């Protein structure tokens, strides 16, 4: 009698403890799950918060004269037209030079090079370039293009610096795009008697176009948002170039981009209204670029699926 | 026919030159950083420069010790990683293991956008939102403390928070893709043995994705070490011991804020600061390349 009671008690105990164990485990799982949700919510609300705050503070600053005039005490105007022109010029000069070099580099790596030491070194160099922070590019640009080559503070110095910075972006995206072109396209073209370069020019590049354009757009986004690499290379002038001849001379003169002007407005000039106005413009550009790359990647996927 | 062969050869040469540009760029940057960064090491003395604790470049008897600057960079990066990695990793877990198709794509887009926001905007928001908060906190903590130098909120803590936020997208996207590449059979086996989803994630999936997550962390370290403008806007402007409520200078902000007016030896020392940063970044890069190589094998 006593013995069976003892056994029953023991069973009861283990049942209770295993029940407690299950409850504990469920609680632990629930808490883990909650923690994951909280972290995700934090990441998302961060973005929403940033966009909302910048728009609330800055949208009132933006009007036609803010976008089309230059800040001048004499005329009593506040505007960023000069910075917009500088940004466009830097983007144009940089991309006109960087795109062919980046695409060419990707073509060499993907189509011509045989696996070996040279390819390893080139890929190592590209990876290293991608990992160098922009302030180092800025220092190098200032020392080499600005002082050694005598370009001083100018849009050209800034652009040359940025070329090195965006090169890996274009090379990588082009490489990825080239890898997705099926091998039979290449074999087909060569089999029909096309030369290698002819095949690359007429088959591969058009097929890889969405990838190349994605790289170019991402690079433009990087340039528009860049500040540390430009502060000591392109300078901070904000006047508008006068007429066509002024525009032609502009690359050799100092000029601050939107981002640089935003930095100066928020720090040394202490003009936060202008800073938030520019921040809104920058955010809109970033949003547009993001949208465009999304579209392109989708299109890219469709062509891949149809193969 | 001859012309065609010529064009083929020309094309090959041109793309080879394009590919070589990256090599030239890396060599030129390395060379210049060393050439410009070493003279000050000789003039000031390696030990006095790297381990000197007094930074007074414009004093009558100038002192160029960058020890606290190096320390601030390292402490700031480490703290940002400690803070940002758990949040980033858990967000990545949500994206790869729990999210439905629609919510997943919304969160992914948000993360992508976070990565695209220019660093000066992070800096501006840090100035407007974080610094005033820090100022109030500072007043509460150090009320009546005559030893403490009040910073107006521009301090190490603000820098750490901004850095932690800025490395989030990197950590999330790299961790996410490495979690996603864990084969489903692993999850199925763990679930079939009676583990809950949470146990499966933390005991099977994350350990399996470890090397990819580590790559993400190293990338985050590189990003945090190299970030300049945002930190420059929120961290204050004095060389100090990296304590939470001290105004600090890091390797990057030291260059940004003084290169504009520095001359002579002061300027050369700033190049040395650049060289120190470059060495750190190169170490990070080498670790990354090694990890990738191992991943490829």
């Amino acid at each position: 009698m006593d013995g069976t009671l003892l056994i029953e008690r023991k069973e009861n105990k283990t049942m209770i403890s295993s029940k407690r164990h299950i409850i504990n485990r469920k609680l632990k799982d629930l808490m883990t799950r909650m923690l994951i949700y909280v972290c995700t919510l934090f990441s998302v609300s961060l973005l929403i918060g940033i966009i909302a705050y910048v728009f609330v503070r800055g949208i009132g600053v933006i009007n036609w004269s803010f976008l089309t005039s230059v800040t001048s005490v004499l005329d009593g105007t506040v505007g960023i037209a000069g910075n917009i022109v500088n940004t466009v010029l830097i983007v144009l000069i940089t991309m006109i030079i960087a795109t062919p070099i980046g695409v060419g580099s990707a073509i060499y790596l993907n189509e011509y090079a045989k696996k070996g030491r040279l390819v390893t070194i080139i890929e190592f160099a590209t990876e290293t370039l991608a990992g160098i922070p922009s302030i180092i590019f800025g220092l190098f640009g200032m020392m080499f293009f600005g002082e050694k080559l005598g370009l001083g503070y100018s849009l050209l110095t800034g652009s040359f610096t940025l070329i090195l910075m965006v090169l890996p972006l274009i090379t990588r995206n082009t490489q990825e795009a080239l890898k997705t072109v099926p091998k039979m396209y290449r074999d087909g073209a060569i089999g029909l008697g096309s030369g290698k370069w002819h095949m690359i020019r007429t088959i591969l590049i058009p097929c890889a176009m969405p990838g190349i354009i994605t790289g170019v757009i991402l690079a433009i986004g990087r340039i528009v948002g860049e500040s540390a690499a430009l502060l000591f290379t392109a300078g901070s002038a904000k006047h508008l170039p006068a007429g066509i001849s002024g525009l032609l001379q502009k690359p050799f003169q100092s000029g601050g981009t939107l981002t640089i002007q935003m930095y100066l407005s928020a720090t040394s000039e202490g003009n936060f209204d202008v800073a938030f106005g520019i921040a809104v413009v920058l955010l809109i550009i970033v949003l547009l670029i993001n949208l465009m790359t999304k579209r392109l990647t989708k299109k890219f996927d469709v062509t891949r699926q149809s193969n | 026919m001859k012309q065609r062969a010529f064009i083929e050869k020309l094309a090959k040469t041109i793309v080879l030159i394009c590919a070589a540009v990256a090599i030239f760029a890396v060599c030129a940057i390395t060379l210049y950083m060393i050439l410009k960064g070493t003279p000050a090491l000789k003039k000031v003395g390696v030990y006095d420069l790297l381990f000197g604790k007094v930074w007074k470049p414009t004093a009558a008897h100038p002192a160029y010790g960058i020890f606290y600057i190096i320390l601030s960079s390292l402490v700031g990066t480490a703290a940002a990683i400690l803070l940002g990695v758990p949040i980033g990793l858990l967000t990545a877990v949500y994206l790869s293991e729990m999210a439905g198709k629609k919510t997943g794509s919304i969160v992914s887009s948000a993360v992508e956008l976070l990565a695209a926001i220019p660093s000066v905007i992070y800096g501006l928001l840090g100035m407007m939102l974080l610094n005033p908060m820090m100022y109030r906190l500072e007043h509460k903590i150090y009320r009546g403390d005559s030893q403490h130098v009040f910073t107006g909120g521009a301090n190490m803590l603000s820098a750490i928070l901004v850095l932690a936020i800025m490395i989030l997208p990197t950590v999330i996207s790299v961790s996410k893709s490495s979690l996603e590449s864990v084969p489903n059979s692993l999850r199925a086996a763990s679930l079939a043995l009676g583990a809950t989803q949470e146990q499966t994630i933390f005991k099977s999936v994350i350990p399996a994705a470890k090397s990819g997550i580590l790559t993400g962390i190293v990338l985050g370290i590189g990003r945090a070490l190299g970030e300049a403008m945002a930190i420059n806007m929120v961290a204050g402007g004095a060389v100090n011991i990296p304590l939470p409520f001290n105004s600090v200078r890091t390797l990057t902000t030291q260059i940004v804020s003084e290169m504009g007016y520095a001359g002579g030896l002061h300027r050369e020392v700033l190049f040395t600061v650049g060289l120190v940063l470059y060495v750190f970044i190169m170490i990070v890069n080498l670790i990354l390349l090694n990890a990738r190589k191992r991943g490829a094998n």
Side-chain angles (χ1 to χ4, degrees):
Chain A
M1 190 67 192
D2 246 20
T4 45
L5 206 74
L6 209 74
I7 290 171
E8 245 170 46
R9 249 193 220 149
K10 224 178 192 173
E11 267 178 357
N12 253 348
K13 229 181 195 171
T14 48
M15 261 175 74
I16 289 170
S17 86
S18 77
K19 234 181 205 166
R20 196 174 289 151
H21 183 77
I22 289 174
I23 290 172
N24 264 347
R25 198 170 93 179
K26 278 209 167 138
L27 204 71
K28 215 170 148 190
D29 284 353
L30 191 74
M31 269 163 60
T32 323
R33 191 167 275 259
M34 290 305 281
L35 204 63
I36 292 175
Y37 285 140
V38 167
C39 286
T40 309
L41 205 66
F42 175 78
S43 305
V44 176
S45 47
L46 206 60
L47 176 79
I48 298 170
I50 290 173
I51 293 178
Y53 188 76
V54 168
F55 270 82
V56 167
R57 286 287 305 259
I59 200 80
V61 182
I62 293 182
N63 53 39
W64 187 244
S65 101
F66 182 72
L67 296 174
T68 55
S69 69
V70 174
T71 301
S72 148
V73 184
L74 273 180
D75 305 336
T77 53
V78 174
I80 54 168
N83 306 111
I84 294 178
V85 171
N86 291 337
T87 310
V88 171
L89 281 176
I90 283 198
V91 166
L92 279 178
I93 300 170
T94 309
M95 294 319 294
I96 284 173
I97 304 173
T99 311
I101 298 178
V103 172
S105 173
I107 288 175
Y108 178 78
L109 286 173
N110 241 47
E111 307 301 324
Y112 285 99
K114 292 178 191 77
K115 271 220 179 307
R117 182 161 281 177
L118 186 63
V119 177
T120 322
I121 294 174
I122 293 172
E123 283 185 338
F124 172 78
T126 311
E127 295 283 320
T128 309
L129 266 190
I132 292 177
S134 45
I135 181 76
I136 299 276
F137 282 112
L139 271 184
F140 172 74
M142 179 187 80
M143 293 188 287
F144 185 71
F145 300 119
E147 288 165 13
K148 186 87 186 169
L149 301 187
L151 290 167
Y153 282 109
S154 68
L155 293 187
L156 270 185
T157 308
S159 295
F160 287 159
T161 309
L162 291 181
I163 289 167
L164 306 180
M165 204 181 78
V166 299
L167 206 56
L169 214 56
I170 300 170
T171 304
R172 270 195 205 155
N173 274 285
T174 309
Q175 260 187 299
E176 288 305 313
L178 284 173
K179 275 178 196 158
T180 62
V181 180
K183 189 166 179 297
M184 61 180 185
Y185 283 25
R186 297 179 176 84
D187 296 343
I190 300 285
L192 285 171
S194 153
K196 189 156 192 173
W197 175 245
H198 189 77
M199 179 269 289
I200 290 170
R201 197 165 50 86
T202 55
I203 312 277
L204 287 189
I205 292 183
C207 283
M209 215 28 138
I212 296 172
I213 296 173
T214 307
V216 168
I217 294 175
L218 284 175
I220 293 174
R222 178 103 201 253
I223 297 171
V224 170
E226 186 50 51
S227 43
L230 287 173
L231 198 56
F232 302 119
T233 54
S236 60
K238 51 189 167 186
H239 60 84
L240 268 175
I244 300 290
S245 68
L247 201 63
L248 289 177
Q249 280 162 12
K250 189 68 206 173
F252 299 97
Q253 296 162 354
S254 149
T257 60
L258 285 166
T259 322
I260 291 290
Q261 184 54 46
M262 201 205 111
Y263 171 73
L264 295 173
S265 299
T267 53
S268 54
E269 295 170 15
N271 193 340
F272 291 105
D273 282 341
V274 174
F276 274 106
I278 299 175
V280 169
V281 175
L282 286 176
L283 272 188
I284 291 174
I285 296 173
V286 165
L287 286 171
L288 283 178
I289 282 176
N290 204 271
L291 224 70
M292 280 201 279
T293 43
K294 270 247 156 90
R295 275 272 162 82
L296 274 167
T297 348
K298 231 180 224 164
K299 195 176 163 195
F300 202 25
D301 274 347
V302 169
T303 50
R304 197 159 47 175
Q305 273 156 22
S306 68
N307 287 328
Chain B
M1 214 51 206
K2 225 177 196 174
Q3 196 194 358
R4 196 173 128 178
F6 173 72
I7 289 175
E8 288 293 332
K9 213 161 204 178
L10 185 70
K12 192 176 170 180
T13 320
I14 289 175
V15 293
L16 176 62
I17 292 171
C18 289
V21 169
I23 303 178
F24 285 129
V26 171
C27 290
I29 291 173
T30 311
L31 195 73
Y32 257 79
M33 294 315 290
I34 293 173
L35 276 182
K36 292 276 184 172
T38 42
L41 276 173
K42 273 185 212 140
K43 285 178 199 165
V44 182
V46 176
Y47 186 84
D48 287 346
L49 186 69
L50 295 180
F51 296 100
K53 293 184 180 108
V54 184
W55 174 261
K56 272 185 184 147
T58 48
H61 295 287
Y64 301 102
I66 63 170
F67 182 66
Y68 286 148
I69 300 171
I70 298 175
L71 207 61
S72 298
S73 263
L74 296 180
V75 169
T77 302
I81 292 290
L82 284 179
L83 214 63
V85 166
I87 300 176
L89 180 58
L90 289 183
T91 307
V93 165
Y94 172 79
L95 282 172
S96 109
E97 308 295 315
M98 298 177 162
K101 212 171 183 188
K102 204 158 191 189
T103 46
S105 83
I106 292 173
V107 176
S108 297
S109 315
V111 173
E112 271 168 41
L113 265 176
L114 270 183
I117 291 177
S119 55
V120 281
I121 292 188
Y122 283 105
L124 179 67
L125 291 179
M127 282 175 91
M128 303 307 283
L129 299 173
L130 269 180
N131 287 356
M133 239 155 61
M134 288 298 158
Y135 184 55
R136 258 174 268 144
L137 208 64
E138 192 181 19
H139 260 272
K140 250 182 206 156
I141 296 173
Y142 291 97
R143 189 192 300 273
D145 187 343
S146 57
Q147 295 274 302
H148 184 72
V149 182
F150 282 86
T151 58
N155 57 25
M156 184 86 214
L157 214 52
S158 305
I160 290 171
L161 290 176
V162 170
L163 277 181
I165 289 171
M166 290 184 76
I167 60 165
L168 268 185
T170 314
V171 175
I172 294 175
S173 62
V174 179
S175 309
K176 179 191 157 209
S177 48
S178 94
L179 288 170
E180 275 170 350
S181 67
V182 172
N184 255 332
S185 56
L186 212 75
R187 292 185 186 87
S190 168
L191 290 172
L193 284 171
T196 61
Q197 195 192 359
E198 286 78 7
Q199 286 174 324
T200 304
I201 291 168
F202 285 92
K203 302 239 161 90
S204 311
V205 181
I206 291 182
K210 200 176 63 192
S211 73
I213 295 169
L214 281 177
T215 307
I217 295 174
V218 177
L219 272 172
I221 293 175
R223 179 121 202 240
L225 269 178
E227 179 49 46
M229 304 308 262
I231 301 307
N232 194 41
M233 292 163 91
V234 300
V239 177
N240 260 325
I241 308 173
L243 292 176
F245 287 96
N246 273 355
S247 158
V248 292
R249 281 272 172 83
T250 66
L251 291 167
T252 51
T253 66
Q254 189 66 13
I255 299 169
V256 170
S257 40
E258 293 187 8
M259 192 51 96
Y261 66 83
L265 187 55
H266 182 190
R267 193 175 146 92
E268 286 178 13
V269 173
L270 290 183
F271 285 133
T272 310
V273 171
L275 178 61
V276 173
L277 175 66
Y278 191 67
V279 169
F280 281 137
I281 291 293
M282 278 302 153
I283 294 171
V284 169
N285 272 348
L286 284 178
I287 295 173
L288 265 183
L289 279 169
N290 258 335
R292 289 233 173 93
K293 225 186 234 165
R294 221 175 297 151
N297 287 344

